[in-house]
């Protein structure tokens, strides 16, 4: 694991502390590295109307896009004891901005690395 990946892991872990998950108690943190070098954090935010819940990955991505970032290098995701890949909705939303590394960590510090194109090879795109 590179020093940058370790930093992203630590930040995803930190972001998880802010998760608002009173219904599922399933807390997730994400740290998204933009091409500019800026790292955007996200956590899941649940709602009493369950369908309105937003995942940590999309919170981080929307923060980044709203601040002008459009190209991304990697996203680290931390959900606690076991590594959990992004859901289909998050993969689709991230694929809008190109391919990037997805780093999945668990509480033991082990991790796996994927590319979005591996997890969602046929992402929906308007301009391909
Ligand atoms: Zn998701």
């Amino acid at each position: 694991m590179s020093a940058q990946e370790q930093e992203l892991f630590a930040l995803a872990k930190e972001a998880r502390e802010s998760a608002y998950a009173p219904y599922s108690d399933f807390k997730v943190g994400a740290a998204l590295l933009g091409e500019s070098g800026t790292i955007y954090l996200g956590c899941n935010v649940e709602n009493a109307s369950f369908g309105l819940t937003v995942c940590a990955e999309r919170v981080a991505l929307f923060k980044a896009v709203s601040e002008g970032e459009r190209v991304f290098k990697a996203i680290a995701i931390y959900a606690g004891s076991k590594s959990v890949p992004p859901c289909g909705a998050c993969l689709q939303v991230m694929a809008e901005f190109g391919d990037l590394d997805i780093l999945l960590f668990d509480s033991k510090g082990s991790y796996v690395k994927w590319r979005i194109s591996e997890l969602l090879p046929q992402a929906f795109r308007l301009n391909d």
Side-chain angles (χ1 to χ4, degrees):
M1 188 186 321
S2 72
Q4 187 152 64
E5 289 169 344
Q6 282 178 348
E7 181 189 11
L8 289 172
F9 170 48
L11 290 170
K13 206 169 174 179
E14 188 182 307
R16 183 174 180 262
E17 296 300 313
S18 297
Y20 178 74
Y23 305 104
S24 72
D25 201 36
F26 183 69
K27 298 179 176 182
V28 183
L32 175 66
L33 174 63
E35 190 180 43
S36 69
T38 302
I39 296 169
Y40 304 88
L41 304 184
C43 64
N44 53 327
V45 181
E46 293 184 345
N47 190 273
S49 178
F50 296 157
L52 301 180
T53 294
V54 180
C55 304
E57 298 91 321
R58 274 179 287 154
V59 169
L61 185 83
F62 291 156
K63 282 172 70 177
V65 172
S66 73
E67 292 179 30
E69 196 88 51
R70 293 291 187 272
V71 180
F72 303 97
K73 292 181 174 176
I75 185 167
I77 301 162
Y78 179 70
S81 59
K82 67 175 189 173
S83 64
V84 179
C87 75
C90 287
L91 289 170
Q92 174 63 42
V93 169
M94 291 190 286
E96 177 77 16
F97 297 92
D99 211 359
L100 65 141
D101 288 333
I102 298 177
L103 311 166
L104 307 175
F105 296 91
D106 65 27
S107 57
K108 296 172 201 83
S110 61
Y111 84 116
V112 291
K113 187 192 293 192
W114 295 91
R115 296 284 288 177
I116 286 183
S117 56
E118 293 175 296
L119 297 177
L120 190 67
Q122 297 298 321
F124 178 76
R125 289 191 177 85
L126 285 179
N127 299 316
D128 273 0

